[in-house]
Amino acid sequence: DVKVTQSSRYLVKRTGEKVFLECVQDMDHENMFWYRQDPGLGLRLIYFSYDVKMKEKGDIPEGYSVSREKKERFSLILESASTNQTSMYLCASSLRQLLDSPLHFGNGTRLTVT
Amino acid sequence: AQSVSQHNHHVILSEAASLELGCNYSYGGTVNLFWYVQYPGQHLQLLLKYFSGDPLVKGIKGFEAEFIKSKFSFNLRKPSVQWSDTAEYFCAVGHTGGFKTIFGAGTRLFVKA
């Protein structure tokens, strides 16, 4: 079974701090994604990557960056955290999204920025 | 712009009642359709998916969904809900040829025992 592991379940940071959210998947999936989940808004795509060192902006990339140095690891970076980035962050991976592969999600990281 | 609309944000049902959650999407091309479920305290997981063929698809735990292309809809149904179906349900659409999956706002279902 696919396992997507996010390094932290809960995180509290101060405004202006640089924040790293880490995600690792163990099934050799090519595609990895970062979403944020907010009540009433569903999931919104921040960034995704379809290969090592490749990244593409999603729908809400402002204030975020990503890094994918190894196939199994996809990091989300908040360069200077702000209170409006308080949210649940979900990492996901998929084998071949072009055809029939669904997303496999991690448990999420609930980030609070004070 | 592509979008996914879920008709109800909150639904409360008694056990054994029938369930139908509406989902409409706006995209004219070939799409892949999903329903995901998030049980309390758990990660999002796939409930069912449609890519081609029979527009009536069956998923886990007795759920099914029907794709009606002319209505751009993919409604989720279950004939008789259980207390354990209490969860948040998300409709999602991915278009063939792209990497992005777009999610609806979600529907919180509460089933009274």
Side-chain angles (χ1 to χ4, degrees):
Chain A
D1 199 17
V2 177
K3 189 157 187 186
V4 179
T5 303
Q6 295 184 231
S7 55
S8 303
R9 191 83 170 103
Y10 298 95
L11 214 51
V12 180
K13 296 292 182 181
R14 294 193 182 276
T15 301
E17 279 192 78
K18 191 169 186 176
V19 182
F20 292 86
L21 302 183
E22 307 286 347
C23 174
V24 176
Q25 49 95 3
D26 66 358
M27 285 299 292
D28 205 34
H29 283 179
E30 295 89 353
N31 305 326
M32 295 189 75
F33 307 82
W34 277 105
Y35 286 87
R36 63 178 282 177
Q37 182 181 6
D38 299 288
L41 297 177
L43 279 70
R44 292 178 290 167
L45 182 62
I46 304 171
Y47 267 96
F48 64 97
S49 168
Y50 52 88
D51 203 350
V52 176
K53 297 192 184 295
M54 305 302 290
K55 60 185 179 184
E56 295 285 343
K57 293 180 179 179
D59 297 316
I60 53 165
E62 297 78 18
Y64 303 94
S65 62
V66 290
S67 172
R68 193 160 180 207
E69 296 297 317
K70 293 184 178 181
K71 190 174 186 179
E72 68 270 18
R73 188 179 296 270
F74 192 37
S75 303
L76 179 70
I77 304 154
L78 286 66
E79 296 290 342
S80 177
S82 63
T83 55
N84 62 13
Q85 293 178 309
T86 291
S87 186
M88 173 69 86
Y89 290 87
L90 299 178
C91 177
S93 70
S94 69
L95 185 58
R96 294 175 296 117
Q97 183 153 349
L98 283 179
L99 295 177
D100 61 354
S101 179
L103 297 170
H104 298 266
F105 286 91
N107 283 329
T109 296
R110 187 167 292 282
L111 173 67
T112 301
V113 183
T114 61
Chain B
Q2 300 165 43
S3 65
V4 178
S5 175
Q6 292 185 236
H7 304 169
N8 308 95
H9 292 299
H10 293 91
V11 174
I12 301 174
L13 295 173
S14 298
E15 275 196 313
S18 64
L19 170 72
E20 181 160 2
L21 301 183
C23 173
N24 287 90
Y25 64 93
S26 64
Y27 181 71
T30 303
V31 293
N32 304 324
L33 300 162
F34 308 85
W35 277 95
Y36 288 87
V37 61
Q38 188 171 32
Y39 298 104
Q42 296 187 27
H43 64 275
L44 268 160
Q45 57 188 284
L46 181 70
L47 198 56
L48 49 78
K49 60 183 181 180
Y50 171 81
F51 293 96
S52 63
D54 189 345
L56 184 63
V57 292
K58 295 190 183 300
I60 59 172
K61 302 186 180 184
F63 285 90
E64 64 179 30
E66 184 176 14
F67 170 51
I68 303 179
K69 190 175 181 179
S70 61
K71 295 185 178 180
F72 297 91
S73 71
F74 190 54
N75 293 352
L76 181 71
R77 299 194 292 250
K78 186 171 184 178
S80 176
V81 295
Q82 300 172 314
W83 176 81
S84 58
D85 293 324
T86 294
E88 189 162 16
Y89 294 81
F90 293 92
C91 181
V93 177
H95 60 93
T96 303
F99 292 97
K100 290 172 62 174
T101 300
I102 299 171
F103 286 79
T107 298
R108 286 186 184 270
L109 170 66
F110 179 72
V111 180
K112 298 183 291 185

